[in-house]
Amino acid sequence: MKREDRILLAHGGGGKLTRELIEELFLPFFKNPILSELGDSAVLEFENLKLAFTTDSYTVDPIFFPGGDIGSLSIYGTVNDLAMMGATPLYISVSLIIEEGFPIEQLERITRSMKEACSKAGVEVVTGDTKVVGKGMADKIYITTAGIGIIPANVSLSLRNIREGDLVIINGPIGEHGIAILMMREGITLEGDIKSDSQPLNHIVGEMVKIEGIKAMRDLTRGGLGAVLCEIASATGLAIQIEEEEIPIKHEVLSACEILGLDPLYVANEGKFIAIVSPESGEEVLRVMREREEGKDSRIIGRIEKQPKGKVVLRTKIGGSRIVEMPIGEELPRIC
Amino acid sequence: MKREDRILLAHGGGGKLTRELIEELFLPFFKNPILSELGDSAVLEFENLKLAFTTDSYTVDPIFFPGGDIGSLSIYGTVNDLAMMGATPLYISVSLIIEEGFPIEQLERITRSMKEACSKAGVEVVTGDTKVVGKGMADKIYITTAGIGIIPANVSLSLRNIREGDLVIINGPIGEHGIAILMMREGITLEGDIKSDSQPLNHIVGEMVKIEGIKAMRDLTRGGLGAVLCEIASATGLAIQIEEEEIPIKHEVLSACEILGLDPLYVANEGKFIAIVSPESGEEVLRVMREREEGKDSRIIGRIEKQPKGKVVLRTKIGGSRIVEMPIGEELPRIC
């Protein structure tokens, strides 16, 4: 925090600077055992009831993009953060900050899209707020959702469960959301049809958590697969070895990344996650994941090792290996 | 909705246009029994557990003002929305949208203020998110909080409980928050020291709900006492008669309103609420409220009548009476 005295775009990027802001500014003030877990959702324990609780603000630009819009994104993003704790998402709050002059027709389109996303995910909007700010005080519309889900009594996902030998499973190809947004923003057209992968993950997770041996899950949003792996390695003090060859990525996304000079490892997804599972349960988890559309391309991409402590090692296709570093900040602001 | 095709500042003002937006756009899409209650919080029923859940975005300008700042406001506002359902607030989520270049020193000041507000209210921040948008894409910082509280098993506050003869009790003088903000924004200085009344109401409410006979409560934020009374009259189909002489208001606030051409009935508060209580419980409720600092100026200001249906009637000091109309929209955008 001492190095910067003003907020940079990278402070919101889900990388090192975001982490510093949380660890050096927010955590010291708000320190409590629930927050300190820093999971995708907080876990709240009531008598006989375990709830997941999470929030996210959505500031994506453009607000309509191939594969979704800020409305559906704001529902799925929060649903997925609940799902990553093994929760069944139930209730959503929606708070809008709208720029004066925003077309009501577009607001209606966004609202309809939120409603459809809620139906698909099986959640309900139960409370909300609307604020309007003057022209030039926001960029069209920002949406903040919070969500509540129930965690089944026998489910307890946490990075603390992770052990050497555990497997890293991904549910499908990476990089689509970030590339779809960026191409639209930059007005680039390429062959192939790159759409955001924005989708609800709670149904596939609901099937997965019935299997024993699932240790933790994380969705691969800001900072992409790379940032999430680094976070897990750093939090557990264990190493993660990843096989580049096993990481699913579509040809069009790879081409776009090459043209744009981006490493797909760090590009945001909105419908992808990794599960860390015990070696014994790997086959069963894969089988269950592949039965659903959102998991049909599931793959084991790596495993947990002891060394090098707290690091992520990528074994490249040509047989070399390199350390995957935590990104400083998202290269692409307002991606979600 | 047909009359306007773009969002106006007044759509966020808590008056008629906000109501139209909710009733004509959001409710048709999201229709469900919990949302349709339109209380200050949603009431979620789990087995053996009743929770209140609410959210609000805070876009107040200026972000630091006499009596508070956007940080404390964002905690107390959400705490109070939970309290109005009789809930004990417990957990808060915080989502920040920060403009690039915002001074980290100010972010620290706001975070400290949130922490102090949490301590005062007895709640904890358990989850959060930070987004950064480019320069000119937000005005400094916007904060969205959501909150969860437990509603005691025997408490069930709802406008549906209200009957003819019930009393309307207020916990203190009106108009301070709105006037403090407006004077600072306009650079006006008057004799006297008008500070925002921003404060947590959960402690006083916690004492009140032990008494039988409390029907419903509402905090007097956007749109002020006037908008809230109109909303209650309209929702219940009953009439509310208010005695102007009984409405507490500080001399300085009244002078400021006269100078600024504002009706104090519609000016926002951040630490004031009304309780609708049975005639039998009135004295006891007043006694309990007056025991606490935040209720020391509590007064009975009116009662529920049968006629004129759905209307609010103000009996003026000089003995006349006038209908209090729902404001179209807040005269003062970005007041909270």
Side-chain angles (χ1 to χ4, degrees):
Chain A
M1 299 298 301
K2 295 300 152 260
R3 277 170 297 156
E4 318 288 348
D5 61 355
R6 293 191 173 266
I7 290 291
L8 309 175
L9 283 173
H11 278 114
K16 245 182 210 166
L17 285 182
T18 304
R19 178 52 55 149
E20 274 181 32
L21 202 63
I22 294 170
E23 287 181 355
E24 296 177 24
L25 182 56
F26 302 136
L27 280 189
F29 281 114
F30 296 127
K31 204 162 185 61
N32 62 64
I34 303 172
L35 180 64
S36 303
E37 282 285 317
L38 293 180
D40 282 340
S41 303
V43 177
L44 311 179
E45 310 234 12
F46 298 90
E47 215 181 312
N48 302 324
L49 187 67
K50 215 160 59 169
L51 295 183
F53 178 38
T54 192
T55 191
D56 256 315
S57 287
Y58 299 85
T59 60
V60 65
D61 168 41
I63 55 174
F64 300 101
F65 49 81
D69 57 58
I70 193 170
S72 54
L73 192 70
S74 74
I75 300 296
Y76 294 148
T78 288
V79 159
N80 292 349
D81 279 340
L82 295 171
M84 291 303 108
M85 304 310 289
T88 305
L90 293 176
Y91 302 115
I92 303 284
S93 70
V94 175
S95 199
L96 307 174
I97 297 174
I98 311 177
E99 186 185 13
E100 182 185 10
F102 187 68
I104 289 186
E105 172 273 328
Q106 289 189 26
L107 183 60
E108 196 169 337
R109 228 175 116 190
I110 291 168
T111 309
R112 175 173 291 118
S113 165
M114 295 181 88
K115 167 60 195 164
E116 286 167 5
C118 284
S119 302
K120 242 173 122 170
V123 296
E124 282 189 308
V125 170
V126 291
T127 189
D129 184 37
T130 307
K131 291 285 172 5
V132 180
V133 296
K135 243 193 135 51
M137 299 297 179
D139 187 16
K140 299 184 275 290
I141 185 167
Y142 300 143
I143 303 181
T144 302
T145 50
I148 295 177
I150 293 189
I151 303 174
N154 59 324
V155 172
S156 178
L157 305 183
S158 165
L159 300 186
R160 294 177 203 282
N161 303 330
I162 297 173
R163 298 285 175 274
E164 185 189 359
D166 286 346
L167 304 172
V168 180
I169 302 181
I170 195 166
N171 70 315
I174 62 169
E176 290 161 33
H177 177 73
I179 295 299
I181 294 291
L182 193 65
M183 284 177 57
M184 192 170 177
R185 210 187 287 170
E186 304 292 320
I188 303 170
T189 323
L190 287 178
E191 42 115 29
D193 197 21
I194 305 177
K195 273 189 195 163
S196 168
D197 61 336
S198 176
Q199 60 181 342
L201 296 171
N202 54 316
H203 302 304
I204 190 170
V205 166
E207 295 302 317
M208 290 167 69
V209 294
K210 293 176 187 162
I211 307 166
E212 258 186 66
I214 299 192
K215 309 296 191 76
M217 296 192 267
R218 282 285 189 278
D219 57 353
L220 309 176
T221 51
R222 279 185 296 181
L225 175 61
V228 168
L229 290 172
C230 286
E231 210 178 300
I232 296 174
S234 156
T236 58
L238 293 163
I240 308 180
Q241 180 161 302
I242 298 293
E243 307 296 324
E244 188 177 25
E245 205 163 53
E246 298 301 323
I247 300 173
I249 179 163
K250 285 187 181 154
H251 168 71
E252 308 89 270
V253 171
L254 201 57
S255 309
C257 282
E258 278 165 9
I259 291 169
L260 296 163
L262 293 170
D263 185 337
L265 266 190
Y266 300 122
V267 175
N269 310 272
E270 286 292 342
K272 296 294 145 37
F273 69 107
I274 54 169
I276 318 280
V277 310
S278 69
E280 303 75 38
S281 66
E283 280 310 308
E284 169 76 348
V285 173
L286 263 186
R287 191 185 60 71
V288 165
M289 289 176 74
R290 286 177 176 160
E291 274 171 11
R292 290 198 58 100
E293 179 62 27
E294 61 271 38
K296 69 178 183 343
D297 299 317
S298 297
R299 297 276 279 272
I300 297 172
I301 58 167
R303 44 176 268 148
I304 307 297
E305 308 277 359
K306 219 159 199 155
Q307 299 289 345
K309 277 191 200 314
K311 297 284 177 197
V312 178
V313 180
L314 184 80
R315 291 225 316 191
T316 63
K317 286 176 186 166
I318 53 167
S321 73
R322 68 169 173 96
I323 299 287
V324 175
E325 298 286 353
M326 185 70 159
I328 297 296
E330 179 64 74
E331 316 284 283
L332 317 167
R334 302 187 55 198
I335 208 78
C336 61
Chain B
M1 297 295 302
K2 295 298 152 264
R3 277 170 297 157
E4 318 287 347
D5 61 356
R6 294 191 173 265
I7 290 290
L8 309 175
L9 284 172
H11 278 114
K16 247 182 207 164
L17 285 182
T18 303
R19 178 52 55 152
E20 274 182 30
L21 202 63
I22 294 171
E23 287 181 354
E24 297 177 24
L25 182 56
F26 302 137
L27 280 189
F29 282 114
F30 296 127
K31 202 160 185 63
N32 63 63
I34 303 172
L35 181 64
S36 303
E37 281 286 316
L38 293 181
D40 282 339
S41 302
V43 177
L44 312 178
E45 310 234 13
F46 298 90
E47 216 181 311
N48 303 322
L49 187 66
K50 215 162 57 170
L51 295 183
F53 178 37
T54 192
T55 191
D56 256 314
S57 286
Y58 299 86
T59 60
V60 65
D61 168 40
I63 55 174
F64 301 102
F65 49 81
D69 57 58
I70 192 171
S72 53
L73 192 70
S74 73
I75 300 297
Y76 294 148
T78 287
V79 159
N80 292 349
D81 279 340
L82 295 172
M84 292 303 108
M85 303 311 289
T88 305
L90 292 175
Y91 302 114
I92 303 285
S93 69
V94 175
S95 198
L96 307 175
I97 296 173
I98 312 176
E99 187 185 14
E100 182 186 9
F102 187 68
I104 290 186
E105 173 271 327
Q106 289 190 25
L107 183 59
E108 196 171 337
R109 227 174 116 189
I110 290 168
T111 309
R112 174 172 293 119
S113 165
M114 295 181 88
K115 168 60 194 164
E116 287 167 6
C118 284
S119 302
K120 242 173 123 171
V123 296
E124 281 189 308
V125 171
V126 292
T127 189
D129 183 38
T130 307
K131 290 288 173 358
V132 180
V133 296
K135 245 194 132 50
M137 300 295 179
D139 187 16
K140 298 183 275 293
I141 185 168
Y142 301 143
I143 303 181
T144 303
T145 49
I148 295 177
I150 294 187
I151 303 175
N154 59 324
V155 172
S156 177
L157 304 183
S158 165
L159 300 186
R160 294 177 204 283
N161 303 330
I162 297 174
R163 299 284 176 274
E164 185 189 359
D166 286 347
L167 305 172
V168 180
I169 302 182
I170 195 166
N171 70 314
I174 62 170
E176 291 161 33
H177 177 74
I179 295 298
I181 295 291
L182 193 64
M183 285 178 57
M184 191 168 176
R185 211 188 283 169
E186 305 291 321
I188 303 169
T189 324
L190 287 178
E191 42 113 31
D193 197 22
I194 305 178
K195 274 189 196 164
S196 167
D197 61 335
S198 176
Q199 60 180 343
L201 296 171
N202 55 316
H203 302 304
I204 190 170
V205 166
E207 295 303 317
M208 290 167 68
V209 293
K210 293 176 188 162
I211 307 166
E212 260 188 64
I214 300 192
K215 308 296 191 75
M217 296 192 266
R218 281 286 190 276
D219 57 351
L220 310 175
T221 53
R222 279 185 296 181
L225 175 61
V228 169
L229 290 172
C230 287
E231 211 178 300
I232 296 174
S234 156
T236 58
L238 293 164
I240 308 180
Q241 180 160 304
I242 298 293
E243 307 296 325
E244 187 176 28
E245 203 163 54
E246 297 301 323
I247 300 173
I249 180 163
K250 284 187 183 156
H251 168 71
E252 308 89 270
V253 172
L254 201 58
S255 310
C257 282
E258 279 165 9
I259 291 169
L260 295 162
L262 293 171
D263 184 337
L265 265 189
Y266 300 121
V267 175
N269 310 272
E270 286 291 342
K272 297 293 145 36
F273 69 107
I274 54 169
I276 318 282
V277 310
S278 69
E280 303 75 36
S281 65
E283 280 310 307
E284 169 76 348
V285 173
L286 263 186
R287 191 186 58 72
V288 165
M289 289 176 75
R290 287 177 176 158
E291 274 172 11
R292 291 198 57 99
E293 179 62 26
E294 62 271 39
K296 69 179 184 342
D297 298 319
S298 298
R299 298 276 280 272
I300 297 171
I301 58 168
R303 46 175 267 150
I304 307 296
E305 307 277 358
K306 220 160 198 155
Q307 300 287 348
K309 276 190 200 315
K311 298 283 177 198
V312 179
V313 180
L314 184 80
R315 292 225 314 192
T316 62
K317 286 177 188 168
I318 52 168
S321 72
R322 67 169 173 97
I323 299 287
V324 174
E325 298 286 352
M326 185 70 158
I328 297 295
E330 178 65 74
E331 317 284 284
L332 317 167
R334 302 188 55 200
I335 206 79
C336 61

